[in-house]
Amino acid sequence: MIAAIAAISLQWGKDILRNVMLWLMLALPTGIAWAVMQAQGAASQEFGAIWLVFAQLMAGIMVASGHWLEEREQGTWQALRLSPVPIGWLLFAQGALITLLTLISELLVFWVNHGVDRWSSPLVVSMLFGAALASFLGVLIGIASRSARAGNMLATVVMMVLFLGAITAPGLSGYPALHAMLHWLPSILAAASLSAGLAGYYPPASTNLALALWLLAVIVSLGIILRRQYRLGS
Amino acid sequence: MSMIEVAGLRKEFGRATAVAGISFAVSEGEVFGLLGPNGAGKTTTVRMLTGLLQPTSGSATVAGCDVRRQRQRMLSSIGVVFELPALYPRLSVEENLRLSGSLRGLSRGDVLAAMERLGLTEQRRRPVRSLSKGWRQRTMIARAMLGQPKVLFLDEPTSGLDPNATAFLHDLLRSLRDEGVTIFLTTHDMVEAAELCDRVGILSRGELVALDAPAALVERLQGRSIRLTWWEAGSLREASIPLADPSTPAFLEEVLAQRRILQIETTGTLDDVYRNVTGGQEARA
């Protein structure tokens, strides 16, 4: 089973990397981070966590959803469902592959902003956690959408809402009610986790737990949608 | 031994009934054709038999596996060719087949053998997006044949293919049948169905309205007859003459001897049966 998953991931990887649009989505966060760095100098490092969240959302959500929407459009999704390997394993494999690509995108953003000498294991764990959540959220959007157009719109809206949430979170401290509500938005949690990682320590357990619950919710939703698709044939 | 057994299979989408409780069996090594107008329930039936769609009620086994309870096991024993290409356009022919082969635990050698059989070896490095429809169809068939399935499902396999590609596919299906592979195909082409299929089932509005060998269906439902146009007493006459009628041979002998026949048209084809039992049903929305 593991060999099959590894082999298919290799072919999927080739397919993703031959798609110019997906390359752009993977490279865009690095390009923007580099441009801001050129304009603002070291001041841009204060927003390090935001750039990393941007990389997670752009590479994770947009690449994963884009790839799955394409799978549905070209009919290969149906072919995959006819494979003897359980579809849950295939979704996991593709989520993992895009998590890896997202992590690479995050590492490039970090390298552009901070250089290579500020690594810490808490930071890598935070990067990985956020990348996994964004990638599986992208898979969920790709699987759940009825058409490529609807899926692309949904992915863009979700990405924008999450990114704006992460940007505006620091300014919400003056509004306790709003802050208490939005505090649990995954991108704000991911930004908090990354900020802790950038400072060299692990985030609070409640942040990790909340991120884990989001990931669990996404995976459960995937299961529900797959069962619904089997029942309705959509 | 039956490779496909269907009993009371039914699928409803809300209030609409797509398949209304059909029953049939397909033997090992048989070529079975499912015919019917657009919207009759053919694709829904194939999707239920291949485990892509949950039946509302009824049961079906394919290659000895219950399509609901033993879906994963069943999928190891079947191959499916869709009407529309379901390939990764940026990957080459070989990469597409290796992707599918790896899911079945097959080696590169197995993939190369499948490509060899389908005449794809020279095309193997070409990206699928650069292939013609015929080559894409061959790639899809090669993929369906990976792992030597016991049952092959083909949904409109020759739709849009040129005559050479169609002939190649027909020869391939015949050779697979000779090897004992059970073939289940849907088609709109009655000539293809009559030539290839050992038996056909005709679906109309979700119901199986005819099921037998093509020749037997023609015999039973249409009756073998010829349409004759001849001169008689200075005027042109036209009639459909049933071959089974005892007086027909004497009548034909007479008009042939007098060289009064202008035109002989054979009737009683599978196409006639199809139109008869489906009542000329048009495509449904």
Side-chain angles (χ1 to χ4, degrees), chain B residues 248-259:
Chain B
T248 298
F251 171 74
L252 285 177
E253 204 172 306
E254 183 198 331
V255 290
L256 281 168
Q258 293 171 12
R259 296 184 178 177

Side-chain angles (χ1 to χ4, degrees), chain B residues 35-187:
Chain B
L35 318 177
N38 293 332
K42 303 187 299 293
T43 300
T44 302
T45 303
V46 171
R47 288 170 65 82
M48 286 193 284
L49 293 181
T50 53
L52 283 174
L53 186 61
Q54 185 179 33
T56 304
S57 61
S59 64
T61 59
V62 175
C65 303
D66 187 297
V67 296
R68 288 202 228 205
R69 294 181 193 90
Q70 296 164 300
R71 183 174 175 273
Q72 234 51 52
R73 216 179 94 199
M74 177 197 73
L75 290 174
S76 308
S77 308
I78 68 168
V80 184
V81 178
F82 303 103
E83 183 185 0
L84 298 172
L87 299 162
Y88 292 91
R90 286 181 294 272
L91 296 184
S92 68
V93 169
E94 183 176 345
E95 286 166 342
N96 265 283
L97 294 179
R98 286 185 72 179
L99 190 152
S100 299
S102 63
L103 292 173
R104 292 175 181 268
L106 302 177
S107 66
R108 184 166 180 245
D110 297 319
V111 170
L112 292 177
M115 284 194 293
E116 176 79 33
R117 179 161 193 184
L118 270 291
L120 284 162
T121 307
E122 283 183 22
Q123 314 288 333
R124 72 180 201 272
R125 293 191 201 284
R126 286 182 63 186
V128 162
R129 67 180 163 203
S130 71
L131 298 177
S132 68
K133 180 163 186 181
W135 286 112
R136 285 184 200 191
Q137 188 73 334
R138 283 195 198 201
T139 308
M140 299 246 294
I141 294 166
R143 182 177 65 188
M145 285 167 56
L146 288 172
Q148 299 176 322
K150 293 175 186 167
V151 184
L152 198 56
F153 289 90
L154 301 107
D155 194 8
E156 308 277 354
T158 54
S159 170
L161 293 187
D162 66 45
N164 288 336
T166 301
F168 175 85
L169 179 61
H170 286 179
D171 288 343
L172 177 72
L173 294 180
R174 286 190 192 99
S175 76
L176 286 170
R177 176 185 57 191
D178 294 342
E179 291 165 23
V181 177
T182 305
I183 296 167
F184 186 105
L185 63 93
T186 70
T187 181

Side-chain angles (χ1 to χ4, degrees), chain A residues 168-180:
Chain A
T168 53
L172 291 175
S173 50
Y175 306 91
L178 202 57
H179 183 262

Side-chain angles (χ1 to χ4, degrees), chain A residues 34-145:
Chain A
W34 179 81
V36 173
M37 184 69 188
Q38 295 301 309
Q40 296 189 340
S44 74
Q45 288 185 6
E46 289 177 24
F47 303 104
I50 297 297
W51 293 123
L52 291 175
V53 168
F54 182 61
Q56 287 173 356
L57 297 175
M58 198 67 183
I61 291 182
M62 298 306 278
V63 171
S65 65
H67 189 75
W68 274 107
L69 290 168
E70 206 176 31
E71 291 265 8
R72 285 173 63 113
E73 211 165 42
Q74 68 202 11
T76 44
W77 165 231
Q78 189 165 244
L80 287 175
R81 287 172 68 196
L82 288 167
S83 129
V85 175
I87 197 67
W89 281 91
L90 297 179
L91 289 175
F92 176 78
Q94 197 158 85
L97 177 68
I98 294 171
T99 298
L100 183 66
L101 293 173
T102 305
L103 185 63
I104 292 170
S105 183
E106 284 184 276
L107 291 172
L108 286 172
V109 168
F110 180 80
W111 175 66
V112 164
N113 258 329
H114 302 279
V116 288
D117 56 346
R118 277 189 57 193
W119 293 111
S120 68
S121 47
L123 177 64
V124 175
V125 171
S126 296
M127 282 180 172
L128 191 61
F129 222 142
L133 180 54
S135 302
F136 281 93
L137 190 56
V139 172
L140 177 66
I141 291 169
I143 297 285
S145 302

